[in-house]
Amino acid sequence: MDNARILIIDDDPNLRKTLADILRVKGYETLAAGDGGEGFALLRQHAVSLVLIDLGLPDIPGLDVLDRVKADYPATEAIILTGNATLDSAIEATNRGAFSYLVKPYAIEQLMLHIRRAIEKQQAQEQLEYQANHDGLTGLPNRNLLADRVRQALLYARRNQRQVAVLFVDLDHFKFINDTLGHDKGDRLLKIVAARLTDCVRSDDTVARQGGDDFVIVIADLAAAEDAGQVARKIQDAVSRPLTIDEHELEISCSVGISIYPKDGEDAQSLLKNADVAMYRAKDQGRNNFQFFTNELNDRAVARMTMEKHLRRALERGEFLLHYQPQVDLNSGRISGMESLIRWQSPELGFIPPASFIPLAEETGLIVPIGEWVLRASCAQNRKWQDAGFPPLVMAVNLSPRQFRQEGLAGTVARILEETGLAAHYLELEIIESLVMHDVECATVILKKLKELGVQLTMDDFGTGYSSLSYLKRFPFDKMKIDQSFVRDITSDPGSAAISRAIIAMAHSMNLRVIAEGIETKGQLGYLRSHGCDDMQGYYFSRPVPPPEFEQMLRDRRRLELPEESGGLPERTLLLLDDEAGVIAALQRMLENEDYHILAAGSAAEGFELLATSRVGVIVADHRMPGMCGTEFLCRVKELYPDIVRMLLSGHADMNCLTDAINCGAIFKFLIKPWNDDLLRENVRDAFRFYERQGEG
Ligand code: C2E
Ligand code: MG
Ligand code: MG
């Protein structure tokens, strides 16, 4: 310390003056007091590093002075000066916290030595204190000091009816940069960010580093809560300015969560926690944005914490069960396998679907032991059914991303197969597409290891993860599972239908089987089957069921009824679509003697369902219908089933709709209500002739 300040408390004015002069010459700032009272007055006004206390003071005993100095100014050191007579009390003084004592008369060199040591000791302490309160890398206040600063800001705000903002700043994808560029460069990036953050705020605000890539900013004396949003924006701009570290040009963004005193919390701890909750929300929202804390966020965070608490104990308390959903071969209609799906029956929280707890299990790492339990229980169950004499089936088990990347996964699988005695080819592992595409190199290695065990591999939820064909070829998958989001509206949405057809074609070109999941209707089944899908899974055949019910299905040899492929001459099938039952009836009557196989639908949805299950040649559709209009229906049919001949029947010669229909090329003929029977019969006949000619050509 360059200008350490020393206070001399001695009632001998000569001694005081001499001492003060010497110390000043030696470079110390000095203060002098003739008694204890005067000494304390000076201590209140000045920061003092060291006090020299004479034991024999006129007003307060020297030892009491020492006690008070140590109590009120713990960082200040004290050296006791004493006459011979009071040597005992001098020794007592060191026991009470004095740095040392000197017996008068003392040599000046001796005094200087003591002073230097006392001050050096103090400097070391200050150094320690600095280290305890600051982050070693960036020099910013750390957690300790941050808590202090928040408390100070709150004290001030409370007294002056002001607000305080706490901003939690987390860098986006910092881990990735750290992993790819190395920790050294990661550290340099953190320093740059620290400096930029500091530039964004006023000097009485605090920028602290919480650890890792987490920073906290405390804005004291805030007039309006919205001002915190402006600071957040400023922070985002500052952080995202491009930067260079060696030869690397980098751009980084950050996610910011904001909590405000007094609205979001009364104390440092809750404000920090709530800013953190809001920051997670910002991450959820796709990163690179800021979010204010809200009560709704709080409720969600509390619910999450509650669930986590129970989830941690669920495995040991045996709260998980497995349900099995059959998979059916679309050639034979027989059950060909099953998927095991976890269920959580919590005594405290009730039934919780996997979509609600698997992500949390994944985040907390609990998925690893849970997943291992699923694997073991599923393999054991499969083996049990085989031992009971049922035809052997393949058991599909889902692997989560964390499990997939877990060190030694292949070893675990091998061990479980061995323990349960299940042959490897009766185990199938489902891996979601987005997971393997995330890190292709790494995924390839893991998949190969699994494949070497002899298990089957399925790419789950296919179509959602932007796979590129060239990568797909490198992965040793056996099967692809079309995601249910495409199956859901496959019969009515040309986009979903086109993707599904493309997946089937692509998978077959690579000799992979294709299974579609989430099949709920005959139409979805019909469409997929007619386009060559190999297997199905979905409520249409069965929901996931507990083991006894699954066993019953096996015992009953339950099968999926598949419509016969119609042999012989193709029938002329006509679909009539109108929301008015009277119109349908009239049309049916009029076409009675024409030898058509007539299907009738009251809505577009029904129409799509029928198209997917029968081979329709001609459609006559009404234009005005609730839900989807006839024009839109026919436009979609054009994409889904380009061969079907489409006619629109409309009561209103609505020019716009006519133009639309013709422009999108969806209409073979446009018919007007009320119709002329003969003309309409002739038009339908024409349409079938056209349809049949297409078929020949
Ligand atoms: P997933 O692997 O895609 O499983 C298929 C989901 O679709 C299951 O939901 C199943 O019940 C549901 N499903 C099957 N057929 C139909 C249908 O016709 N219609 C509809 N709407 N849904 C159908 P569930 O059991 O709720 O599981 C949801 C997800 O949770 C699974 O999606 C999977 O990602 C995950 N999961 C389930 N069990 C496990 C497990 O043991 N481990 C891991 N890591 N994830 C699991
Ligand atoms: Mg699955
Ligand atoms: Mg799926």
Side-chain angles (χ1 to χ4, degrees):
M1 210 173 324
D2 304 326
N3 42 3
R5 196 179 282 132
I6 300 176
L7 168 65
I8 306 156
I9 310 180
D10 200 312
D11 58 334
D12 181 336
N14 285 332
L15 206 118
R16 253 187 352 246
K17 174 141 192 346
T18 324
L19 250 181
D21 288 345
I22 295 169
L23 291 176
R24 227 168 273 133
V25 171
K26 299 278 179 191
Y28 297 106
E29 238 183 85
T30 53
L31 301 166
D35 57 32
E38 215 183 309
F40 284 117
L42 287 169
L43 278 168
R44 274 193 293 277
Q45 289 161 28
H46 304 274
V48 170
S49 312
L50 172 67
V51 196
L52 305 178
I53 306 171
D54 176 27
L55 276 189
L57 292 174
D59 59 342
I60 310 170
L63 281 182
D64 290 357
V65 173
L66 171 68
D67 284 345
R68 266 181 66 186
V69 168
K70 285 276 113 183
D72 295 349
Y73 308 95
T76 303
E77 291 296 343
I79 294 178
I80 301 300
L81 308 174
T82 173
N84 269 331
T86 50
L87 187 55
D88 282 352
S89 23
I91 295 168
E92 169 70 16
T94 55
N95 290 338
R96 294 203 202 173
F99 177 75
S100 64
Y101 65 88
L102 285 165
V103 179
K104 294 175 187 171
Y106 42 79
I108 287 299
E109 283 70 35
Q110 204 183 359
L111 173 66
M112 289 318 299
L113 185 68
H114 280 244
I115 288 178
R116 266 199 308 275
R117 285 199 187 139
I119 285 176
E120 274 159 21
K121 179 183 168 201
Q122 205 199 22
Q123 281 177 337
Q125 264 168 356
E126 277 180 10
Q127 183 69 30
L128 275 181
E129 183 159 312
Y130 181 87
Q131 280 169 5
N133 285 309
H134 291 81
D135 165 45
L137 177 69
T138 60
L140 292 177
N142 65 7
R143 257 171 220 278
N144 277 342
L145 188 53
L146 170 68
D148 243 33
R149 295 279 175 86
V150 180
R151 272 192 289 273
Q152 278 170 23
L154 292 183
L155 269 176
Y156 176 87
R158 223 165 267 148
R159 239 181 269 128
N160 301 284
Q161 252 111 64
R162 305 286 285 184
Q163 308 186 58
V164 174
V166 174
L167 281 70
F168 210 109
V169 181
D170 186 286
L171 302 184
D172 298 330
H173 305 297
F174 175 71
K175 189 180 175 306
F176 176 76
I177 295 186
N178 216 26
D179 289 351
T180 38
L181 297 187
H183 292 247
D184 177 43
K185 295 198 173 80
D187 281 355
R188 281 161 60 193
L189 174 69
L190 288 174
K191 280 190 190 173
I192 295 173
V193 169
R196 289 182 177 185
L197 291 178
T198 308
D199 283 345
C200 288
V201 299
R202 298 167 307 185
S203 61
D204 44 351
D205 299 333
T206 299
V207 178
R209 179 166 175 235
Q210 277 279 88
D213 59 337
D214 293 342
F215 296 88
V216 173
I217 295 175
V218 183
I219 302 173
D221 198 12
L222 191 71
E226 299 74 56
D227 295 352
Q230 300 214 352
V231 177
R233 210 164 290 129
K234 202 165 149 192
I235 287 170
Q236 287 193 284
D237 289 346
V239 169
S240 59
R241 282 203 315 271
L243 52 94
T244 324
I245 293 179
D246 295 341
E247 70 281 13
H248 304 283
E249 300 245 341
L250 299 174
E251 259 179 64
I252 190 153
S253 61
C254 62
S255 303
V256 184
I258 307 171
S259 69
I260 305 282
Y261 165 87
K263 168 169 92 60
D264 303 330
E266 295 275 334
D267 56 87
Q269 209 192 354
S270 28
L271 287 165
L272 283 167
K273 192 196 84 201
N274 291 345
D276 190 27
V277 166
M279 187 278 289
Y280 271 101
R281 175 70 182 160
K283 293 265 177 206
D284 277 353
Q285 294 292 301
R287 300 181 160 86
N288 194 16
N289 72 102
F290 67 87
Q291 297 285 328
F292 279 96
F293 176 78
T294 63
N295 275 330
E296 177 212 348
L297 275 186
N298 187 44
D299 295 347
R300 231 184 296 169
V302 169
R304 212 191 96 104
M305 266 154 49
T306 311
M307 190 189 280
E308 184 178 335
K309 188 178 90 191
H310 293 295
L311 191 60
R312 288 198 178 276
R313 295 184 307 212
L315 194 56
E316 62 191 60
R317 301 206 307 185
E319 295 170 9
F320 293 121
L321 350 147
L322 292 176
H323 282 188
Y324 300 94
Q325 187 176 32
Q327 300 176 335
V328 177
D329 181 330
L330 288 178
N331 258 321
S332 65
R334 284 205 195 93
I335 296 177
S336 56
M338 64 218 134
E339 178 174 9
S340 102
L341 293 156
I342 194 167
R343 299 291 176 256
W344 180 19
Q345 187 63 54
S346 157
E348 290 86 5
L349 307 175
F351 175 80
I352 301 166
S356 308
F357 73 85
I358 294 279
L360 182 61
E362 177 74 14
E363 221 174 281
T364 52
L366 290 167
I367 192 69
V368 174
I370 295 174
E372 194 172 323
W373 175 83
V374 171
L375 207 60
R376 183 172 287 109
S378 307
C379 290
Q381 178 64 76
N382 201 17
R383 172 70 206 228
K384 209 169 130 200
W385 277 325
Q386 294 185 3
D387 287 346
F390 295 111
L393 299 174
V394 176
M395 171 73 79
V397 177
N398 292 286
L399 282 189
S400 85
R402 187 111 166 209
Q403 264 180 294
F404 184 72
R405 283 192 286 264
Q406 179 81 2
E407 198 71 36
L409 169 69
T412 306
V413 173
R415 189 156 36 80
I416 288 174
L417 287 171
E418 171 141 1
E419 277 169 27
T420 56
L422 185 72
H425 60 279
Y426 291 125
L427 175 64
E428 175 179 321
L429 298 174
E430 291 196 1
I431 295 139
I432 55 171
E433 180 196 11
S434 47
L435 172 58
V436 285
M437 295 313 295
H438 184 71
D439 184 348
V440 173
E441 298 301 324
C442 174
T444 313
V445 174
I446 301 174
L447 288 170
K448 288 215 166 107
K449 273 196 203 151
L450 291 171
K451 193 69 218 161
E452 276 161 17
L453 299 175
V455 302
Q456 314 230 29
L457 298 176
T458 295
M459 194 181 250
D460 201 355
D461 298 350
F462 190 73
T464 57
Y466 313 103
S467 282
S468 97
L469 192 60
S470 57
Y471 283 140
L472 279 184
K473 285 188 182 146
R474 290 165 52 178
F475 297 133
F477 280 105
D478 303 284
K479 205 192 267 187
M480 281 187 191
K481 200 174 214 186
I482 303 178
D483 189 60
Q484 28 177 308
S485 60
F486 301 114
V487 173
R488 198 168 301 131
D489 43 19
I490 196 168
T491 59
S492 60
D493 174 43
S496 296
I499 291 174
S500 305
R501 288 196 310 266
I503 294 174
I504 295 170
M506 184 173 78
H508 285 171
S509 76
M510 291 190 283
N511 283 324
L512 306 181
R513 273 182 93 80
V514 183
I515 179 166
E517 72 179 347
I519 293 187
E520 295 183 355
T521 70
K522 200 173 165 190
Q524 292 163 346
L525 176 71
Y527 191 91
L528 282 156
R529 184 162 173 257
S530 67
H531 286 92
C533 185
D534 303 291
D535 299 277
M536 71 78 79
Q537 177 181 347
Y539 297 173
Y540 182 71
F541 183 74
S542 166
R543 289 182 171 257
V545 294
E549 281 178 49
F550 193 88
E551 204 170 305
Q552 191 58 45
M553 266 191 264
L554 295 180
R555 219 173 280 125
D556 295 347
R557 304 211 172 126
R558 247 200 77 190
R559 288 176 67 157
L560 178 65
E561 274 197 48
L562 297 169
E564 298 283 312
E565 287 290 329
S566 51
L569 282 177
E571 274 182 293
R572 286 185 155 186
T573 302
L574 171 67
L575 172 66
L576 301 176
L577 174 62
D578 201 307
D579 57 316
E580 285 175 60
V583 175
I584 298 260
L587 286 169
Q588 273 173 324
R589 234 176 294 118
M590 179 200 63
L591 295 164
E592 222 163 30
N593 300 321
E594 295 286 304
D595 203 24
Y596 299 136
H597 173 51
I598 297 182
L599 302 171
S603 68
E606 270 179 49
F608 283 128
E609 189 67 19
L610 287 171
L611 289 176
T613 46
S614 350
R615 275 186 62 182
V616 172
V618 175
I619 301 176
V620 175
D622 180 28
H623 170 63
R624 295 227 168 162
M625 291 184 295
M628 191 184 291
C629 73
T631 307
E632 170 73 20
F633 175 80
L634 292 180
C635 284
R636 292 189 183 204
V637 170
K638 176 186 168 237
E639 306 278 326
L640 289 161
Y641 309 95
D643 294 346
I644 297 180
V645 180
R646 303 164 297 268
M647 299 202 281
L648 192 67
L649 181 61
S650 175
H652 315 261
D654 181 338
M655 273 314 285
N656 283 342
C657 117
L658 176 63
T659 318
D660 284 355
I662 290 173
N663 283 349
C664 78
I667 308 293
F668 176 72
K669 281 239 163 73
F670 189 82
L671 310 167
I672 306 290
K673 280 185 198 171
W675 61 84
N676 170 307
D677 280 3
D678 289 334
L679 194 60
L680 192 102
R681 266 194 291 266
E682 195 46 48
N683 277 322
V684 174
R685 259 180 243 133
D686 271 357
F688 272 108
R689 276 197 287 272
F690 185 80
Y691 176 70
E692 280 147 14
R693 269 207 308 281
Q694 276 184 145
E696 291 156 14

